[in-house]
Amino acid sequence: MLEFSSIPKAVFREGEANPIQMPNWNWMLPGLVAQYPGVDGLKTGHTAEAKYCFTGTAQRNGMRLISVVMGASSELARFQETAKLFDYGFSQFEVKTVFKGKEPVKGHETAPVAKGVDLEVPVVPERDVVAVVRKGEERAPAPQVRVSEVVAPVKQGQAVGTIKAVSDAGGDEYLTPDAGAVKLIAQEDVEEASWLRLFFRGAKNAVVRLFSGMVEAITGAF
C-alpha cells in the first residue's frame, strides 16, 4: 500500500484531452504543503462527527512510527498535530542492535538436544536482534528466548527457537522493524545417538536419580 500512498502527485488521463493533475490528500508527503521528512503514508478522512482525521506513517534510521489523529479542526491542523507526534517519537526513541547476528548471546549459548550424541548444541541468532529504546538509555534490553523441543539429528543452520529483545520503551511490537522474533539457529550438526548409547544414558540417569533420592531421604532423617 505504501507504494501508492507515498506518491505526492499523479496525473490522470495523461495524454488525453483535459488531463487531471491531482495532489495526494496527505499533505505531509514531499513537495506538499505540510511536508515532513520520512513520511510515506497513509490515509486521510473526514466526517461531520469525527472532523478531520489522519493516520500517518514515517520512517527514519530504520524506525517506523504510526500516528492517529482524530477530531482536528481543519485539514491542515491534522497534519500539524501529526508532526508533533512524529517529532516526539523520533526525538525520544531510536532503534538499536541489541544482539548481533551469528554471535552467541550470553546466558543462551546452547539449546538442549534430545536423543543426540551430544546433549546440547551451540546456537546463535540468525541475524541482528533490534529493539526500540529511549535515547540515552544505558540499560540494555533483556533477551526473551523460546527454545523448541529439539530432537536429533540436528543440522547446522536449523532453527531451534527464537529470540527477541524486550525493552522498557513500550510499544516495541509496533515500533520495531520486523517486530517478530529472530530465529535461533544451530551452529553445528548433532547426530542421533544409537539405541545402545541411549540405553546406557538412561540407566546412568536412573542410578543418579536413585542415589540422589537416597541422599535426600537420609539427610531429611537428621
Side-chain angles (χ1 to χ4, degrees), residues 22-37:
M22 179 178 289
N24 197 311
W25 290 345
N26 174 7
W27 296 355
M28 301 189 80
L29 292 172
L32 301 184
V33 178
Q35 64 179 351
Y36 188 97

Side-chain angles (χ1 to χ4, degrees), residues 51-203:
K51 298 184 181 180
Y52 293 93
C53 309
F54 179 55
T55 299
T57 180
Q59 186 172 17
R60 290 186 194 171
N61 301 320
M63 182 173 73
R64 178 172 295 282
L65 300 182
I66 299 175
S67 67
V68 177
V69 169
M70 302 183 68
S73 58
S74 68
E75 289 180 288
L76 183 59
R78 60 186 170 188
F79 302 122
Q80 293 171 331
E81 295 303 313
T82 297
K84 293 177 184 178
L85 293 174
F86 285 159
D87 284 345
Y88 176 79
F90 286 123
S91 67
Q92 298 297 315
F93 301 94
E94 63 182 341
V95 172
K96 279 191 173 182
T97 297
V98 183
F99 309 111
K100 289 187 176 295
K102 303 298 191 296
E103 293 187 9
V105 176
K106 186 176 181 180
H108 302 279
E109 296 90 348
T110 62
V113 177
K115 299 182 180 181
V117 172
D118 299 314
L119 297 178
E120 57 186 20
V121 61
V123 296
V124 293
E126 184 177 41
R127 53 183 170 77
D128 288 351
V129 180
V130 301
V132 173
V133 298
R134 289 187 179 273
K135 290 185 177 181
E137 178 68 56
E138 296 182 358
R139 183 173 54 181
Q144 184 182 85
V145 176
R146 291 187 174 89
V147 178
S148 308
E149 182 181 3
V150 185
V151 181
V154 178
K155 296 297 182 182
Q156 183 178 18
Q158 177 181 328
V160 297
T162 60
I163 180 172
K164 70 177 299 182
V166 182
S167 72
D168 295 331
D172 52 317
E173 287 290 336
Y174 302 97
L175 298 178
T176 301
D178 239 347
V182 173
K183 292 179 181 178
L184 275 176
I185 58 174
Q187 283 191 286
E188 57 188 43
D189 295 343
V190 177
E191 296 180 2
E192 184 178 6
S194 66
W195 69 267
L196 188 60
R197 181 188 291 265
L198 293 176
F199 171 78
F200 281 111
R201 183 181 293 167

Side-chain angles (χ1 to χ4, degrees), residues 1-8 24 26 29 40-43 57:
M1 184 172 181
L2 295 179
E3 178 183 355
F4 301 101
S5 67
S6 61
I7 301 173
N24 197 311
N26 174 7
L29 292 172
D40 53 6
L42 190 61
K43 180 69 175 69
T57 180

